[in-house]
């Protein structure tokens, strides 16, 4: 008897798509799983309280408050998601020994040893982020662009420390470490000087990048943002600023686009191929904004699928560093994490099973009528059966069956916290 997968495979083959090859390919594409969904972006080096223009909303019980809890929760997520993973760690998640603490400008590789052990045991690389928020040295909402040189110096030292830690991650795991620079620097209301803070921001980033590192191992990025809560009128790290920064320092850093960080009718799916014309490599933060940069859990919606399609169509799976960036505190956090990771996997698999060569040909021959007809047809192909096969091969449930595991974990572990 024909299984559902075999029948789907035939349907896709008729369009020139090899579903076995798509499944095999996806298994080896790493996606970075952000540690900060587990505890509402708090970390372990501060008393709690998120600042810097980002916010979590909700108070669902059972959040991780210790490294042990966070790592156990992450492990649960990893066990429920198909595909290759990388860890994405923020500097505020340094794990100190009992009674030990150092400030962010003094962080060392040893403070991240537990992350390395965790990653190595699971065969994963690690990405990293200096934390330029939730800290008293973020003064007047500013860090690397502050007019006070002492404030800037503290944060430059933090950035340099993070480059050294990123090198440690890359050397220990054997996988390049993407190190993303994002600050919430900006102003609530109309500024009197827009260029000054940007010039200071530019010089500060250049100083951070003057710390010696091997660009084959450490991939510094600059992430832009259009506005944040409390910084509605101006951000120092605007899109033009970060893109120019990356373009002018191509041998030292990459542009990072977060799809929550643009005006609502702009789409990152269209920006990916634009940047790929110029940059050998780019980085992404994948999220879902609802009316604003709200960092809702990623779902399999149209723009999510479109972004994945562009990466695949441009044959750029090895040129785009993909990281998830959402945080919802209003629902079970393990479930939120898992839904988001699985959504991006579904989007990638869908993209890999799309007959891109055939569609491109229609476009190049100016067959726009047929292109529309075919693109609409593609939406109804039996992706579900390919997804089920992929999940089976990865040893995870294909449908909501994984949620029973989360409920059990909530009863046995989370509810006792
Ligand atoms: C904030 C940026 C940034 C953060 C993480 C925690 O708007 O997207 O990437 O979400 O660094
Ligand atoms: Zn981001």
């Amino acid at each position: 008897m024909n299984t559902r997968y075999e029948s789907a495979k035939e349907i896709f083959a008729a369009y020139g798509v090899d579903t076995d090859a798509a499944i095999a390919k996806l298994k080896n594409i790493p996606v970075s799983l952000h540690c900060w969904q587990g505890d509402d972006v708090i970390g372990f080096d501060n008393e709690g309280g998120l600042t810097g223009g980002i916010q979590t909303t909700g108070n669902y019980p059972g959040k991780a408050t210790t490294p042990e809890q966070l790592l156990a929760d992450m492990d649960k997520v990893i066990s429920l998601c198909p595909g290759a993973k990388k860890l994405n760690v923020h500097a505020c998640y340094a794990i100190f020994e009992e009674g030990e603490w150092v400030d962010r400008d003094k962080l060392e590789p040893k403070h991240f040893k537990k992350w390395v052990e965790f990653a190595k045991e699971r065969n994963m690389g690690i990405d990293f982020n200096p934390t330029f928020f939730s800290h008293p040295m973020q003064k007047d909402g500013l860090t690397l662009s502050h007019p006070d040189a002492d404030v800037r110096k503290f944060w430059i030292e933090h950035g340099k420390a993070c480059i050294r830690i990123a090198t440690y991650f890359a050397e220990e795991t054997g996988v390049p470490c993407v190190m993303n620079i994002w600050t919430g620097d900006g102003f609530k209301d109309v500024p009197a000087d827009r260029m000054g803070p940007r010039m200071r921001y530019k010089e500060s980033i250049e100083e951070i990048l003057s710390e010696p590192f091997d660009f084959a191992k450490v991939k510094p990025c600059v992430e832009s943002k259009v506005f944040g809560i409390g910084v509605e009128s101006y951000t120092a790290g605007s899109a033009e600023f970060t893109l120019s920064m990356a373009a002018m320092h191509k041998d030292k850093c990459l542009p990072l686009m977060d799809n929550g960080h643009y005006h609502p009718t702009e789409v990152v799916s269209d920006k990916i191929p634009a940047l790929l014309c110029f940059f050998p490599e780019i980085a992404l933060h994948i999220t879902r904004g609802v009316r604003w940069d709200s960092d809702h859990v990623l779902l399999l919606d149209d723009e999510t699928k479109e972004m994945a399609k562009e990466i695949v169509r441009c044959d750029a799976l090895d040129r785009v560093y993909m990281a998830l960036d959402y945080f919802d505190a209003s629902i079970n956090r393990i479930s939120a994490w898992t839904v988001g990771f699985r959504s991006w996997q579904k989007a990638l698999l869908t993209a890999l099973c799309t007959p891109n060569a055939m569609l491109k040909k229609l476009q190049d021959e100016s067959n726009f009528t047929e292109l529309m007809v075919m693109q609409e047809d593609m939406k109804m192909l039996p992706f579900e059966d390919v997804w089920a096969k992929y999940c089976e091969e990865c040893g995870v449930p294909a449908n909501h069956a994984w949620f029973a595991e989360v409920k059990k974990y909530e009863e046995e572990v989370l509810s006792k916290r």
Side-chain angles (χ1 to χ4, degrees), residues 16 42 121 137 194 228 297 311 340 346 384:
I42 298 299
E121 277 162 21
M137 276 303 268
R194 292 171 188 271
V297 175
I311 299 168
K346 287 177 188 168
E384 184 192 358

Side-chain angles (χ1 to χ4, degrees), residues 5 349 383-393 396-398:
Y5 177 66
L349 188 64
F383 294 109
E384 184 192 358
D385 300 328
V386 185
W387 170 252
K389 173 79 170 157
Y390 174 59
C391 287
E392 186 196 312
E393 288 189 16
V396 302

Side-chain angles (χ1 to χ4, degrees), residues 190-204:
V190 190
D193 176 15
R194 292 171 188 271
M195 190 170 155
R198 288 189 177 135
M199 281 307 292
R200 293 191 290 267
Y201 195 20
K202 171 177 181 283
E203 280 158 22
S204 296

Side-chain angles (χ1 to χ4, degrees), residues 36 180 182 223-224 256-258 261 285-287 295 325:
W36 53 91
N180 179 44
W182 172 76
E223 178 180 11
S224 68
L256 186 146
M257 295 189 291
D258 178 316
H261 292 186
H285 271 183
I286 304 154
T287 188
D295 287 303
D325 183 14

